[in-house]
Every structure is written in structure tokens, then in C-alpha cells.
Amino acid sequence: MLATHEQPLKTHVVTSDTRMAGVPAVLRYRSDDPFAVRLAFLDVDPDGDPDGDPDGGADGEEGAADGTGAVTDAIEWVFARDLLTDGLHTPTGEGDVHVWPFGPSDLMIELRSGASTALVITPQAAVRMFLCHAYAIVPAGSEPRHLDLDRALARLVDHGQG
């Protein structure tokens, strides 16, 4: 049985060109992908229109509302749940994602793509709450029991034929 959890986040994002902006985001966890977490940055249209069309119609993308207008997923990063957990206590990460405590109550998540880097600052409390739910869904050490390798392989084969 699939179990999921989503945690809205208030983030500040600092980009490679030193721009800083508040960007709504959400952390997502799925029991069928037990080792991973997803950090989705949401595209907000202040007019409440998810796709920016003047007709106000949705464009078919999956979205959620946070009270500030309509939102649609714009960018999603997938990385290890353990990376997020360890990063609450000590600097950690390899490759494109690094996580470390930032001051007494925030968490820094560094995301790299090619020559671009974004620093994401978010409250530790929200991340801790998210992880409590994620570990309640799939406790540490039990992840392999939640993997459906036959389904994952079937999806790979289907994508390879499309």
C-alpha cells in the first residue's frame, strides 16, 4: 500500500548571480521510493492562474494551493533521505546536493546543476517534522521491504519502448 507525505516549506533561494528570493517549496516522500525525498520548488502566479494564461484555465499540470495563488510544480530535485537527515547535524553531501545546519534554526541545501548553484535556506523545524513523518511511514533499515523491483523494472522497460 502506497503511503505519502508532503511538507510545505518556506524557503529563501540564493542563486549563482546572488539574487535572493522567497520561493514556496514542498518536501515529498513516497513509500514506494523509500530511500529518496523530493524537494519541489513551486511556480506561483499571483493572479491565481497556474499556467499564466489570461483565460485563467489550468494547463493540466498537477498542482497544489498554499493560499498565495495557484501553484504548479516547476522544478523537482530528488536526493537521499539520509542526506537530509545527516545534514541537520553535520555538513554532508557529494555531487550535486549538499546539506548543512545554518545558524541555530535553519538548514542550508546547496543544489548544483552544471555551472549554476542555488543555496536554499529553510527552517530546520519543518524539515525535522517532515522526516518524522517519513520515518514513521518507512522506518530506517526497513527500506528494502518497501521496494517493488518488478514494478520499477517494468517502468524502465516501458520508458525504453516509448
mmCIF file of all heavy atoms in Angstrom, residues 84-133:
data_model
loop_
_atom_site.group_PDB
_atom_site.id
_atom_site.type_symbol
_atom_site.label_atom_id
_atom_site.label_comp_id
_atom_site.label_asym_id
_atom_site.label_seq_id
_atom_site.Cartn_x
_atom_site.Cartn_y
_atom_site.Cartn_z
ATOM 1 N N LEU A 84 19.411 14.276 3.833
ATOM 2 C CA LEU A 84 18.662 15.319 4.527
ATOM 3 C C LEU A 84 18.750 15.126 6.042
ATOM 4 O O LEU A 84 18.964 16.082 6.792
ATOM 5 C CB LEU A 84 17.205 15.296 4.064
ATOM 6 C CG LEU A 84 16.336 16.481 4.412
ATOM 7 C CD1 LEU A 84 16.913 17.774 3.872
ATOM 8 C CD2 LEU A 84 14.932 16.268 3.876
ATOM 9 N N THR A 85 18.636 13.886 6.485
ATOM 10 C CA THR A 85 18.726 13.575 7.914
ATOM 11 C C THR A 85 20.087 13.956 8.477
ATOM 12 O O THR A 85 20.177 14.649 9.495
ATOM 13 C CB THR A 85 18.462 12.074 8.141
ATOM 14 O OG1 THR A 85 17.172 11.738 7.618
ATOM 15 C CG2 THR A 85 18.527 11.720 9.614
ATOM 16 N N ASP A 86 21.147 13.510 7.829
ATOM 17 C CA ASP A 86 22.504 13.785 8.311
ATOM 18 C C ASP A 86 22.825 15.271 8.256
ATOM 19 O O ASP A 86 23.519 15.800 9.124
ATOM 20 C CB ASP A 86 23.531 13.000 7.495
ATOM 21 C CG ASP A 86 23.416 11.501 7.693
ATOM 22 O OD1 ASP A 86 22.745 11.060 8.648
ATOM 23 O OD2 ASP A 86 23.986 10.759 6.864
ATOM 24 N N GLY A 87 22.313 15.954 7.243
ATOM 25 C CA GLY A 87 22.592 17.372 7.073
ATOM 26 C C GLY A 87 22.020 18.252 8.169
ATOM 27 O O GLY A 87 22.450 19.392 8.342
ATOM 28 N N LEU A 88 21.058 17.745 8.927
ATOM 29 C CA LEU A 88 20.536 18.503 10.069
ATOM 30 C C LEU A 88 21.572 18.652 11.174
ATOM 31 O O LEU A 88 21.473 19.549 12.002
ATOM 32 C CB LEU A 88 19.283 17.825 10.636
ATOM 33 C CG LEU A 88 18.006 18.013 9.831
ATOM 34 C CD1 LEU A 88 16.936 17.053 10.314
ATOM 35 C CD2 LEU A 88 17.526 19.449 9.910
ATOM 36 N N HIS A 89 22.581 17.746 11.174
ATOM 37 C CA HIS A 89 23.557 17.718 12.256
ATOM 38 C C HIS A 89 24.968 18.088 11.838
ATOM 39 O O HIS A 89 25.730 18.610 12.642
ATOM 40 C CB HIS A 89 23.573 16.324 12.894
ATOM 41 C CG HIS A 89 22.211 15.866 13.302
ATOM 42 N ND1 HIS A 89 21.541 16.376 14.378
ATOM 43 C CD2 HIS A 89 21.378 14.971 12.735
ATOM 44 C CE1 HIS A 89 20.359 15.807 14.483
ATOM 45 N NE2 HIS A 89 20.228 14.950 13.497
ATOM 46 N N THR A 90 25.303 17.794 10.587
ATOM 47 C CA THR A 90 26.675 17.996 10.134
ATOM 48 C C THR A 90 26.689 18.236 8.626
ATOM 49 O O THR A 90 25.801 17.730 7.921
ATOM 50 C CB THR A 90 27.545 16.778 10.496
ATOM 51 O OG1 THR A 90 28.897 17.060 10.197
ATOM 52 C CG2 THR A 90 27.131 15.537 9.737
ATOM 53 N N PRO A 91 27.664 18.973 8.112
ATOM 54 C CA PRO A 91 27.738 19.144 6.653
ATOM 55 C C PRO A 91 27.896 17.788 5.966
ATOM 56 O O PRO A 91 28.712 16.957 6.385
ATOM 57 C CB PRO A 91 28.991 20.002 6.463
ATOM 58 C CG PRO A 91 29.153 20.731 7.757
ATOM 59 C CD PRO A 91 28.684 19.764 8.814
ATOM 60 N N THR A 92 27.106 17.568 4.936
ATOM 61 C CA THR A 92 27.134 16.290 4.242
ATOM 62 C C THR A 92 26.757 16.488 2.780
ATOM 63 O O THR A 92 26.159 17.491 2.409
ATOM 64 C CB THR A 92 26.190 15.275 4.928
ATOM 65 O OG1 THR A 92 26.392 13.985 4.364
ATOM 66 C CG2 THR A 92 24.744 15.682 4.799
ATOM 67 N N GLY A 93 27.125 15.524 1.967
ATOM 68 C CA GLY A 93 26.734 15.527 0.570
ATOM 69 C C GLY A 93 27.898 15.333 -0.361
ATOM 70 O O GLY A 93 29.045 15.620 -0.028
ATOM 71 N N GLU A 94 27.582 14.813 -1.528
ATOM 72 C CA GLU A 94 28.536 14.641 -2.614
ATOM 73 C C GLU A 94 27.825 15.022 -3.903
ATOM 74 O O GLU A 94 26.615 14.922 -3.999
ATOM 75 C CB GLU A 94 28.995 13.184 -2.710
ATOM 76 C CG GLU A 94 29.806 12.711 -1.538
ATOM 77 C CD GLU A 94 30.249 11.261 -1.702
ATOM 78 O OE1 GLU A 94 30.263 10.759 -2.845
ATOM 79 O OE2 GLU A 94 30.569 10.649 -0.690
ATOM 80 N N GLY A 95 28.579 15.431 -4.874
ATOM 81 C CA GLY A 95 27.985 15.716 -6.171
ATOM 82 C C GLY A 95 27.146 16.968 -6.179
ATOM 83 O O GLY A 95 27.578 18.027 -5.740
ATOM 84 N N ASP A 96 25.889 16.837 -6.624
ATOM 85 C CA ASP A 96 25.027 17.992 -6.883
ATOM 86 C C ASP A 96 24.258 18.514 -5.675
ATOM 87 O O ASP A 96 23.671 19.584 -5.746
ATOM 88 C CB ASP A 96 24.021 17.642 -7.983
ATOM 89 C CG ASP A 96 24.689 17.399 -9.317
ATOM 90 O OD1 ASP A 96 25.819 17.897 -9.516
ATOM 91 O OD2 ASP A 96 24.091 16.715 -10.169
ATOM 92 N N VAL A 97 24.196 17.748 -4.577
ATOM 93 C CA VAL A 97 23.405 18.158 -3.414
ATOM 94 C C VAL A 97 24.251 18.077 -2.156
ATOM 95 O O VAL A 97 24.865 17.048 -1.874
ATOM 96 C CB VAL A 97 22.146 17.286 -3.256
ATOM 97 C CG1 VAL A 97 21.319 17.741 -2.052
ATOM 98 C CG2 VAL A 97 21.284 17.304 -4.518
ATOM 99 N N HIS A 98 24.286 19.188 -1.408
ATOM 100 C CA HIS A 98 24.977 19.256 -0.116
ATOM 101 C C HIS A 98 24.010 19.880 0.887
ATOM 102 O O HIS A 98 23.227 20.756 0.530
ATOM 103 C CB HIS A 98 26.242 20.110 -0.198
ATOM 104 C CG HIS A 98 27.262 19.537 -1.120
ATOM 105 N ND1 HIS A 98 27.256 19.791 -2.466
ATOM 106 C CD2 HIS A 98 28.296 18.716 -0.893
ATOM 107 C CE1 HIS A 98 28.263 19.142 -3.037
ATOM 108 N NE2 HIS A 98 28.906 18.474 -2.102
ATOM 109 N N VAL A 99 24.080 19.429 2.145
ATOM 110 C CA VAL A 99 23.176 19.908 3.179
ATOM 111 C C VAL A 99 23.970 20.150 4.448
ATOM 112 O O VAL A 99 24.850 19.355 4.798
ATOM 113 C CB VAL A 99 22.059 18.870 3.452
ATOM 114 C CG1 VAL A 99 21.073 19.384 4.490
ATOM 115 C CG2 VAL A 99 21.337 18.488 2.162
ATOM 116 N N TRP A 100 23.661 21.262 5.168
ATOM 117 C CA TRP A 100 24.329 21.514 6.442
ATOM 118 C C TRP A 100 23.481 22.437 7.311
ATOM 119 O O TRP A 100 22.654 23.208 6.792
ATOM 120 C CB TRP A 100 25.729 22.078 6.234
ATOM 121 C CG TRP A 100 25.814 23.418 5.566
ATOM 122 C CD1 TRP A 100 25.806 24.651 6.183
ATOM 123 C CD2 TRP A 100 25.930 23.691 4.170
ATOM 124 N NE1 TRP A 100 25.920 25.655 5.248
ATOM 125 C CE2 TRP A 100 25.994 25.094 3.996
ATOM 126 C CE3 TRP A 100 25.983 22.883 3.034
ATOM 127 C CZ2 TRP A 100 26.106 25.698 2.760
ATOM 128 C CZ3 TRP A 100 26.088 23.495 1.796
ATOM 129 C CH2 TRP A 100 26.155 24.879 1.669
ATOM 130 N N PRO A 101 23.672 22.365 8.640
ATOM 131 C CA PRO A 101 22.981 23.308 9.517
ATOM 132 C C PRO A 101 23.445 24.722 9.222
ATOM 133 O O PRO A 101 24.611 24.953 8.915
ATOM 134 C CB PRO A 101 23.412 22.889 10.922
ATOM 135 C CG PRO A 101 24.082 21.574 10.778
ATOM 136 C CD PRO A 101 24.531 21.444 9.357
ATOM 137 N N PHE A 102 22.523 25.680 9.310
ATOM 138 C CA PHE A 102 22.835 27.073 9.015
ATOM 139 C C PHE A 102 22.273 27.917 10.150
ATOM 140 O O PHE A 102 21.059 28.139 10.225
ATOM 141 C CB PHE A 102 22.226 27.464 7.665
ATOM 142 C CG PHE A 102 22.579 28.837 7.195
ATOM 143 C CD1 PHE A 102 23.875 29.145 6.814
ATOM 144 C CD2 PHE A 102 21.611 29.821 7.110
ATOM 145 C CE1 PHE A 102 24.204 30.416 6.358
ATOM 146 C CE2 PHE A 102 21.923 31.098 6.660
ATOM 147 C CZ PHE A 102 23.225 31.392 6.291
ATOM 148 N N GLY A 103 23.149 28.348 11.024
ATOM 149 C CA GLY A 103 22.701 29.082 12.202
ATOM 150 C C GLY A 103 21.966 28.157 13.152
ATOM 151 O O GLY A 103 21.946 26.944 12.971
ATOM 152 N N PRO A 104 21.332 28.726 14.148
ATOM 153 C CA PRO A 104 20.701 27.893 15.166
ATOM 154 C C PRO A 104 19.400 27.220 14.732
ATOM 155 O O PRO A 104 19.017 26.207 15.305
ATOM 156 C CB PRO A 104 20.425 28.880 16.305
ATOM 157 C CG PRO A 104 20.325 30.212 15.647
ATOM 158 C CD PRO A 104 21.264 30.157 14.467
ATOM 159 N N SER A 105 18.726 27.743 13.699
ATOM 160 C CA SER A 105 17.413 27.184 13.391
ATOM 161 C C SER A 105 17.138 26.928 11.913
ATOM 162 O O SER A 105 16.042 26.513 11.566
ATOM 163 C CB SER A 105 16.325 28.114 13.933
ATOM 164 O OG SER A 105 16.427 29.386 13.330
ATOM 165 N N ASP A 106 18.112 27.145 11.055
ATOM 166 C CA ASP A 106 17.895 26.944 9.620
ATOM 167 C C ASP A 106 18.753 25.818 9.070
ATOM 168 O O ASP A 106 19.697 25.350 9.716
ATOM 169 C CB ASP A 106 18.189 28.233 8.842
ATOM 170 C CG ASP A 106 17.128 29.294 9.056
ATOM 171 O OD1 ASP A 106 15.945 28.937 9.220
ATOM 172 O OD2 ASP A 106 17.474 30.481 9.058
ATOM 173 N N LEU A 107 18.406 25.398 7.874
ATOM 174 C CA LEU A 107 19.134 24.369 7.151
ATOM 175 C C LEU A 107 19.485 24.941 5.784
ATOM 176 O O LEU A 107 18.663 25.616 5.151
ATOM 177 C CB LEU A 107 18.247 23.128 6.981
ATOM 178 C CG LEU A 107 18.898 21.899 6.386
ATOM 179 C CD1 LEU A 107 19.915 21.316 7.373
ATOM 180 C CD2 LEU A 107 17.847 20.849 6.055
ATOM 181 N N MET A 108 20.699 24.676 5.330
ATOM 182 C CA MET A 108 21.145 25.103 4.007
ATOM 183 C C MET A 108 21.202 23.869 3.112
ATOM 184 O O MET A 108 21.802 22.850 3.486
ATOM 185 C CB MET A 108 22.523 25.742 4.082
ATOM 186 C CG MET A 108 23.049 26.242 2.756
ATOM 187 S SD MET A 108 22.248 27.746 2.201
ATOM 188 C CE MET A 108 22.981 28.942 3.306
ATOM 189 N N ILE A 109 20.591 23.979 1.956
ATOM 190 C CA ILE A 109 20.647 22.919 0.941
ATOM 191 C C ILE A 109 21.250 23.546 -0.306
ATOM 192 O O ILE A 109 20.690 24.493 -0.866
ATOM 193 C CB ILE A 109 19.255 22.347 0.639
ATOM 194 C CG1 ILE A 109 18.590 21.830 1.926
ATOM 195 C CG2 ILE A 109 19.342 21.250 -0.422
ATOM 196 C CD1 ILE A 109 17.134 21.463 1.764
ATOM 197 N N GLU A 110 22.401 23.039 -0.715
ATOM 198 C CA GLU A 110 23.070 23.537 -1.913
ATOM 199 C C GLU A 110 22.744 22.599 -3.068
ATOM 200 O O GLU A 110 22.952 21.392 -2.970
ATOM 201 C CB GLU A 110 24.575 23.595 -1.689
ATOM 202 C CG GLU A 110 25.343 24.074 -2.897
ATOM 203 C CD GLU A 110 26.844 24.032 -2.665
ATOM 204 O OE1 GLU A 110 27.335 22.979 -2.216
ATOM 205 O OE2 GLU A 110 27.497 25.049 -2.936
ATOM 206 N N LEU A 111 22.243 23.172 -4.149
ATOM 207 C CA LEU A 111 21.883 22.419 -5.347
ATOM 208 C C LEU A 111 22.724 22.923 -6.501
ATOM 209 O O LEU A 111 22.759 24.124 -6.768
ATOM 210 C CB LEU A 111 20.396 22.608 -5.652
ATOM 211 C CG LEU A 111 19.430 22.256 -4.514
ATOM 212 C CD1 LEU A 111 18.021 22.708 -4.857
ATOM 213 C CD2 LEU A 111 19.478 20.768 -4.218
ATOM 214 N N ARG A 112 23.383 21.996 -7.201
ATOM 215 C CA ARG A 112 24.230 22.369 -8.334
ATOM 216 C C ARG A 112 23.745 21.683 -9.594
ATOM 217 O O ARG A 112 23.402 20.503 -9.599
ATOM 218 C CB ARG A 112 25.678 21.933 -8.087
ATOM 219 C CG ARG A 112 26.331 22.601 -6.921
ATOM 220 C CD ARG A 112 27.739 22.120 -6.765
ATOM 221 N NE ARG A 112 28.326 22.666 -5.544
ATOM 222 C CZ ARG A 112 29.475 22.278 -5.067
ATOM 223 N NH1 ARG A 112 30.180 21.357 -5.679
ATOM 224 N NH2 ARG A 112 29.933 22.817 -3.956
ATOM 225 N N SER A 113 23.747 22.452 -10.673
ATOM 226 C CA SER A 113 23.405 21.913 -11.980
ATOM 227 C C SER A 113 24.313 22.595 -12.995
ATOM 228 O O SER A 113 24.157 23.785 -13.268
ATOM 229 C CB SER A 113 21.940 22.192 -12.308
ATOM 230 O OG SER A 113 21.631 21.709 -13.593
ATOM 231 N N GLY A 114 25.256 21.846 -13.513
ATOM 232 C CA GLY A 114 26.225 22.430 -14.431
ATOM 233 C C GLY A 114 27.016 23.510 -13.726
ATOM 234 O O GLY A 114 27.547 23.309 -12.649
ATOM 235 N N ALA A 115 27.056 24.700 -14.306
ATOM 236 C CA ALA A 115 27.797 25.813 -13.710
ATOM 237 C C ALA A 115 26.947 26.609 -12.725
ATOM 238 O O ALA A 115 27.445 27.521 -12.074
ATOM 239 C CB ALA A 115 28.297 26.743 -14.808
ATOM 240 N N SER A 116 25.667 26.275 -12.604
ATOM 241 C CA SER A 116 24.770 27.020 -11.726
ATOM 242 C C SER A 116 24.686 26.381 -10.345
ATOM 243 O O SER A 116 24.739 25.167 -10.197
ATOM 244 C CB SER A 116 23.361 27.066 -12.317
ATOM 245 O OG SER A 116 23.377 27.722 -13.551
ATOM 246 N N THR A 117 24.532 27.250 -9.340
ATOM 247 C CA THR A 117 24.374 26.802 -7.964
ATOM 248 C C THR A 117 23.257 27.606 -7.327
ATOM 249 O O THR A 117 23.138 28.804 -7.549
ATOM 250 C CB THR A 117 25.671 27.018 -7.152
ATOM 251 O OG1 THR A 117 26.717 26.255 -7.756
ATOM 252 C CG2 THR A 117 25.509 26.586 -5.714
ATOM 253 N N ALA A 118 22.438 26.932 -6.529
ATOM 254 C CA ALA A 118 21.411 27.609 -5.742
ATOM 255 C C ALA A 118 21.570 27.173 -4.299
ATOM 256 O O ALA A 118 21.782 25.989 -4.011
ATOM 257 C CB ALA A 118 20.022 27.258 -6.248
ATOM 258 N N LEU A 119 21.511 28.138 -3.400
ATOM 259 C CA LEU A 119 21.530 27.862 -1.972
ATOM 260 C C LEU A 119 20.114 28.055 -1.452
ATOM 261 O O LEU A 119 19.520 29.124 -1.631
ATOM 262 C CB LEU A 119 22.495 28.793 -1.256
ATOM 263 C CG LEU A 119 23.960 28.675 -1.677
ATOM 264 C CD1 LEU A 119 24.790 29.770 -1.011
ATOM 265 C CD2 LEU A 119 24.505 27.292 -1.325
ATOM 266 N N VAL A 120 19.578 27.029 -0.827
ATOM 267 C CA VAL A 120 18.215 27.051 -0.321
ATOM 268 C C VAL A 120 18.271 27.075 1.202
ATOM 269 O O VAL A 120 18.862 26.186 1.815
ATOM 270 C CB VAL A 120 17.441 25.802 -0.790
ATOM 271 C CG1 VAL A 120 16.017 25.815 -0.259
ATOM 272 C CG2 VAL A 120 17.469 25.689 -2.310
ATOM 273 N N ILE A 121 17.680 28.095 1.798
ATOM 274 C CA ILE A 121 17.640 28.230 3.247
ATOM 275 C C ILE A 121 16.213 27.959 3.694
ATOM 276 O O ILE A 121 15.263 28.579 3.183
ATOM 277 C CB ILE A 121 18.077 29.645 3.694
ATOM 278 C CG1 ILE A 121 19.454 29.975 3.122
ATOM 279 C CG2 ILE A 121 18.073 29.753 5.215
ATOM 280 C CD1 ILE A 121 19.806 31.453 3.179
ATOM 281 N N THR A 122 16.047 27.027 4.646
ATOM 282 C CA THR A 122 14.718 26.666 5.119
ATOM 283 C C THR A 122 14.782 26.335 6.606
ATOM 284 O O THR A 122 15.842 25.937 7.102
ATOM 285 C CB THR A 122 14.151 25.485 4.296
ATOM 286 O OG1 THR A 122 12.762 25.355 4.549
ATOM 287 C CG2 THR A 122 14.867 24.189 4.587
ATOM 288 N N PRO A 123 13.686 26.481 7.327
ATOM 289 C CA PRO A 123 13.703 26.183 8.765
ATOM 290 C C PRO A 123 13.939 24.701 9.055
ATOM 291 O O PRO A 123 13.317 23.828 8.441
ATOM 292 C CB PRO A 123 12.312 26.608 9.241
ATOM 293 C CG PRO A 123 11.799 27.546 8.205
ATOM 294 C CD PRO A 123 12.420 27.091 6.914
ATOM 295 N N GLN A 124 14.836 24.425 9.999
ATOM 296 C CA GLN A 124 15.098 23.049 10.411
ATOM 297 C C GLN A 124 13.844 22.386 10.965
ATOM 298 O O GLN A 124 13.631 21.187 10.745
ATOM 299 C CB GLN A 124 16.194 23.002 11.471
ATOM 300 C CG GLN A 124 17.571 23.284 10.962
ATOM 301 C CD GLN A 124 18.613 23.152 12.058
ATOM 302 O OE1 GLN A 124 18.397 22.519 13.096
ATOM 303 N NE2 GLN A 124 19.764 23.766 11.840
ATOM 304 N N ALA A 125 13.014 23.142 11.679
ATOM 305 C CA ALA A 125 11.829 22.556 12.312
ATOM 306 C C ALA A 125 10.917 21.896 11.281
ATOM 307 O O ALA A 125 10.400 20.798 11.510
ATOM 308 C CB ALA A 125 11.069 23.611 13.103
ATOM 309 N N ALA A 126 10.711 22.537 10.130
ATOM 310 C CA ALA A 126 9.852 21.969 9.088
ATOM 311 C C ALA A 126 10.471 20.701 8.513
ATOM 312 O O ALA A 126 9.770 19.723 8.247
ATOM 313 C CB ALA A 126 9.608 22.992 7.985
ATOM 314 N N VAL A 127 11.784 20.697 8.350
ATOM 315 C CA VAL A 127 12.470 19.517 7.812
ATOM 316 C C VAL A 127 12.413 18.374 8.824
ATOM 317 O O VAL A 127 12.177 17.215 8.471
ATOM 318 C CB VAL A 127 13.923 19.856 7.419
ATOM 319 C CG1 VAL A 127 14.679 18.605 6.997
ATOM 320 C CG2 VAL A 127 13.933 20.900 6.303
ATOM 321 N N ARG A 128 12.615 18.680 10.091
ATOM 322 C CA ARG A 128 12.518 17.643 11.139
ATOM 323 C C ARG A 128 11.115 17.025 11.170
ATOM 324 O O ARG A 128 10.964 15.808 11.286
ATOM 325 C CB ARG A 128 12.862 18.229 12.501
ATOM 326 C CG ARG A 128 14.319 18.511 12.689
ATOM 327 C CD ARG A 128 14.596 19.062 14.105
ATOM 328 N NE ARG A 128 15.873 19.706 14.180
ATOM 329 C CZ ARG A 128 17.031 19.075 14.281
ATOM 330 N NH1 ARG A 128 17.052 17.766 14.327
ATOM 331 N NH2 ARG A 128 18.162 19.744 14.338
ATOM 332 N N MET A 129 10.090 17.875 11.071
ATOM 333 C CA MET A 129 8.720 17.368 11.070
ATOM 334 C C MET A 129 8.489 16.448 9.874
ATOM 335 O O MET A 129 7.909 15.367 9.997
ATOM 336 C CB MET A 129 7.725 18.524 11.040
ATOM 337 C CG MET A 129 6.276 18.073 11.097
ATOM 338 S SD MET A 129 5.090 19.432 10.977
ATOM 339 C CE MET A 129 5.584 20.433 12.346
ATOM 340 N N PHE A 130 8.973 16.883 8.713
ATOM 341 C CA PHE A 130 8.849 16.068 7.511
ATOM 342 C C PHE A 130 9.521 14.708 7.705
ATOM 343 O O PHE A 130 8.946 13.661 7.400
ATOM 344 C CB PHE A 130 9.474 16.793 6.316
ATOM 345 C CG PHE A 130 9.643 15.923 5.112
ATOM 346 C CD1 PHE A 130 8.573 15.634 4.287
ATOM 347 C CD2 PHE A 130 10.886 15.378 4.794
ATOM 348 C CE1 PHE A 130 8.726 14.828 3.170
ATOM 349 C CE2 PHE A 130 11.046 14.568 3.685
ATOM 350 C CZ PHE A 130 9.961 14.286 2.867
ATOM 351 N N LEU A 131 10.747 14.722 8.231
ATOM 352 C CA LEU A 131 11.477 13.469 8.415
ATOM 353 C C LEU A 131 10.816 12.564 9.447
ATOM 354 O O LEU A 131 10.822 11.334 9.285
ATOM 355 C CB LEU A 131 12.936 13.754 8.787
ATOM 356 C CG LEU A 131 13.777 14.308 7.633
ATOM 357 C CD1 LEU A 131 15.123 14.810 8.146
ATOM 358 C CD2 LEU A 131 13.966 13.261 6.537
ATOM 359 N N CYS A 132 10.228 13.129 10.485
ATOM 360 C CA CYS A 132 9.491 12.309 11.467
ATOM 361 C C CYS A 132 8.379 11.531 10.768
ATOM 362 O O CYS A 132 8.201 10.331 11.008
ATOM 363 C CB CYS A 132 8.919 13.174 12.580
ATOM 364 S SG CYS A 132 10.115 13.679 13.808
ATOM 365 N N HIS A 133 7.644 12.208 9.891
ATOM 366 C CA HIS A 133 6.573 11.536 9.144
ATOM 367 C C HIS A 133 7.145 10.498 8.180
ATOM 368 O O HIS A 133 6.599 9.400 8.061
ATOM 369 C CB HIS A 133 5.735 12.556 8.385
ATOM 370 C CG HIS A 133 4.850 13.371 9.262
ATOM 371 N ND1 HIS A 133 3.680 12.907 9.813
ATOM 372 C CD2 HIS A 133 4.978 14.649 9.707
ATOM 373 C CE1 HIS A 133 3.112 13.844 10.545
ATOM 374 N NE2 HIS A 133 3.889 14.921 10.501
#
